[in-house]
Every structure is written in structure tokens, then in C-alpha cells.
Amino acid sequence: MKLSPRVSWFLTAFGVWSWFIWITFVKNLWQDGSGLAFDDAGDPTGYFWVHLLLAVASFVLGTVVGLIGLRGVRANRSRA
């Protein structure tokens, strides 16, 4: 399968965006002071675990998509 340069760059940018967004989200989740992520004793709640799982899954998928885009960018450069 050949990816166009435009699609390759889009996928690469999506991967970079995913890293930025989900790392920031996990930092904010970890520092949550609203009482949603941690109970009064400081233990993680169900909200914390569900959102951490969503963030990790999205981070992994974003990384895979970004790597596919990067491979497309490299392939397009070698063809040119």
C-alpha cells in the first residue's frame, strides 16, 4: 500500500498530537484536586482507572498511527 505524502504527513502529525494531548491529560489526571480521581484517603477511584486506561490505549494507538505515517513519509522521500 502506498500512502500519499499528504496522508503520510497527516498521520505523522496525528501521532505527535496524540503524544502531546494524552501525556498532558495523564499529568492533569494525576494532579486532580476535584475529588474525582482520588478519594479522601488519596486512593485512586474508578474514574481514575478508567480514564488512565483510555489515555494509555489512545496513546498506544496514536503512536502506531504516527509510526505508519512516518514510514510513509520516509518511503515518499526515497521514491523522489
Side-chain angles (χ1 to χ4, degrees), residues 4-67:
S4 71
R6 177 181 261 169
V7 170
S8 297
W9 280 109
F10 175 78
L11 294 177
T12 302
F14 181 85
V16 171
W17 175 256
S18 181
W19 273 60
F20 174 75
I21 289 298
W22 292 108
I23 288 174
T24 302
F25 180 83
V26 170
K27 284 181 186 177
N28 291 337
L29 182 65
W30 197 265
Q31 298 171 355
D32 178 57
S34 69
L36 288 173
F38 298 96
D39 61 15
D40 294 334
D43 296 326
T45 62
Y47 176 90
F48 174 84
W49 292 115
V50 167
H51 285 82
L52 183 64
L53 179 64
L54 288 171
V56 169
S58 296
F59 179 74
V60 169
L61 290 172
T63 300
V64 170
V65 168
L67 289 174

